C-alpha cells in the first residue's frame, strides 16, 4: 500500500474526557492507523469499544487530546476552527444511521446544501445534485421531502449529499443500522460501486462482522485500542 497516497494518518491518538478532573476518562488509548487512497476499510467493534469517538476524530467533528492526525496531507490537529469546518465540508462526506436530512426541504435541496456552503453557483449545484440523485436511482423522487421517502430512499439521498463536493473520503457510520436487510444490501451495493467505479476511499463504522467482512480491510477496535487487522473478502490481493 505504500505506493498509494495515504489519506488518513492517525498517529498515537489519545482521546480523554473530563480532562484534569477526578473523573477524567480516557476512551482512545494511542490509536495509530493509516488508510490509503481508494481503500474500503471497516472499523468494527461492540458498543463501548470507542468506535463513535474514533469516527468523530476521523471526521474532524472532535479533536484528539493528544497525537497527530494528517488528513489528505493536512495536519488537522493543528488546524483552527474555520479550517476544520472547511475540511469537513470539502474533504469528508458523511453518511449517518439517522440520515440527518433537513425535513422541510426536498431531496434535491438536501443534496445541494454542501455545495451551497462551498460557494458553488446555483446552476452548477442543481446540475450536480440531479446527477448524484440519478447515480443513486433517486432522480424520480428529487422533489420529495424526507417524510415522503422510505428509510432506504432517505439513505440514498444522504449518500448523494455526501458525494456533493467530491470528497476525498466517505465516512459511513452504521449506514444500514436502521434498515431491513434487503434495503441494507442496496445501500452496501452503492458503496461498493462508488469504491470500484469512482475509486472513493470509504471508512465504514459498524458493529456487524458480516458487513465488515465485505470490505477490503477490517480493523477491530476493543476498549479503545486496535486489537486486530485483517483482510476482508473484498481485498484485491
Amino acid at each position: 500500500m505504500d505506493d498509494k497516497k495515504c489519506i488518513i494518518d492517525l498517529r498515537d491518538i489519545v482521546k480523554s474526557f473530563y480532562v484534569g478532573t477526578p473523573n477524567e476518562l480516557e476512551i482512545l488509548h494511542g490509536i495509530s492507523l493509516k488508510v490509503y487512497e481508494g481503500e474500503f476499510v471497516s472499523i468494527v467493534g461492540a458498543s463501548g469499544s470507542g468506535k463513535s469517538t474514533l469516527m468523530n476524530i476521523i471526521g474532524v467533528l472532535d479533536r484528539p487530546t493528544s497525537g497527530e492526525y494528517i488528513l489528505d496531507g493536512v495536519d488537522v490537529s493543528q488546524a483552527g476552527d474555520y479550517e476544520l469546518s472547511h475540511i469537513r465540508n470539502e474533504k469528508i462526506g458523511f453518511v449517518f444511521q439517522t440520515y440527518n436530512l433537513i425535513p422541510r426541504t426536498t431531496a434535491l435541496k438536501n443534496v445541494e446544501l454542501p455545495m451551497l456552503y462551498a460557494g458553488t453557483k446555483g446552476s452548477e449545484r442543481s446540475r450536480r445534485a440531479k446527477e448524484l440523485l440519478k447515480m443513486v436511482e433517486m432522480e424520480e423522487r428529487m422533489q420529495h421531502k424526507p417524510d415522503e421517502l422510505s428509510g432506504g430512499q432517505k439513505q440514498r439521498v444522504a449518500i448523494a449529499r455526501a458525494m456533493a463536493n467530491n470528497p476525498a473520503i466517505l465516512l459511513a457510520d452504521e449506514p444500514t443500522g436502521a434498515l431491513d436487510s434487503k434495503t441494507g444490501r442496496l445501500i452496501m451495493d452503492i458503496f461498493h460501486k462508488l469504491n470500484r467505479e469512482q475509486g472513493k476511499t470509504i471508512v465504514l463504522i459498524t458493529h456487524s462482522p458480516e458487513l465488515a467482512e465485505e470490505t477490503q480491510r477490517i480493523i477491530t477496535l476493543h476498549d479503545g485500542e486496535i486489537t486486530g487487522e485483517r483482510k476482508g473478502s473484498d481485498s484485491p490481493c
Side-chain angles (χ1 to χ4, degrees):
M1 278 292 180
D2 287 338
D3 57 334
K4 284 200 170 189
K5 179 182 178 183
C6 183
I7 293 281
I8 293 170
D9 188 359
L10 299 170
R11 303 174 184 175
D12 201 25
I13 294 292
V14 172
K15 180 61 183 177
S16 299
F17 294 93
Y18 316 115
V19 176
T21 77
N23 297 323
E24 183 168 334
L25 181 63
E26 188 174 288
I27 302 295
L28 299 179
H29 316 299
I31 298 283
S32 293
L33 173 66
K34 290 187 178 186
V35 177
Y36 294 87
E37 190 173 42
E39 271 199 290
F40 191 171
V41 175
S42 56
I43 298 173
V44 65
S47 295
S49 62
K51 294 194 309 298
S52 294
T53 303
L54 182 57
M55 187 213 76
N56 286 341
I57 287 172
I58 292 173
V60 200
L61 296 167
D62 200 359
R63 295 176 182 268
T65 305
S66 64
E68 282 186 291
Y69 177 19
I70 311 298
L71 170 62
D72 199 18
V74 177
D75 186 351
V76 297
S77 43
Q78 300 298 318
D81 290 343
Y82 178 80
E83 189 178 358
L84 291 180
S85 177
H86 176 77
I87 288 167
R88 279 193 296 271
N89 193 45
E90 300 281 323
K91 291 191 177 292
I92 305 168
F94 294 95
V95 182
F96 298 98
Q97 179 177 340
T98 52
Y99 322 124
N100 285 18
L101 299 176
I102 296 173
R104 289 190 288 274
T105 193
T106 64
L108 183 67
K109 293 298 183 185
N110 265 284
V111 176
E112 285 186 27
L113 195 59
M115 293 182 277
L116 178 66
Y117 291 142
T120 306
K121 290 182 179 178
S123 58
E124 174 60 16
R125 289 201 308 267
S126 179
R127 184 201 64 76
R128 178 153 173 79
K130 288 174 182 175
E131 183 182 276
L132 289 167
L133 286 166
K134 184 176 182 180
M135 179 194 74
V136 296
E137 299 181 4
M138 283 294 292
E139 67 269 34
E140 293 181 4
R141 309 283 285 178
M142 67 175 63
Q143 297 301 335
H144 289 68
K145 294 178 181 177
D147 64 1
E148 299 171 317
L149 303 174
S150 69
Q153 289 171 334
K154 289 176 188 174
Q155 197 60 296
R156 281 188 273 166
V157 172
I159 292 170
R161 180 188 58 188
M163 289 287 292
N165 288 326
N166 195 25
I169 303 161
L170 280 180
L171 186 55
D173 183 20
E174 301 283 6
T176 65
L179 306 174
D180 61 65
S181 57
K182 183 180 178 181
T183 309
R185 174 73 269 143
L186 292 173
I187 297 303
M188 286 300 293
D189 286 347
I190 291 173
F191 284 125
H192 283 295
K193 186 176 180 181
L194 288 170
N195 176 249
R196 288 171 182 161
E197 295 182 8
Q198 297 192 26
K200 280 295 164 193
T201 306
I202 302 175
V203 178
L204 172 72
I205 313 290
T206 183
H207 69 276
S208 166
E210 292 81 14
L211 287 186
E213 193 60 48
E214 291 188 28
T215 65
Q216 295 165 1
R217 187 158 57 107
I218 304 165
I219 312 295
T220 301
L221 201 62
H222 181 74
D223 289 343
E225 296 182 314
I226 292 175
T227 57
E229 180 178 330
R230 62 186 179 85
K231 291 178 182 177
S233 62
D234 199 38
S235 175
C237 50

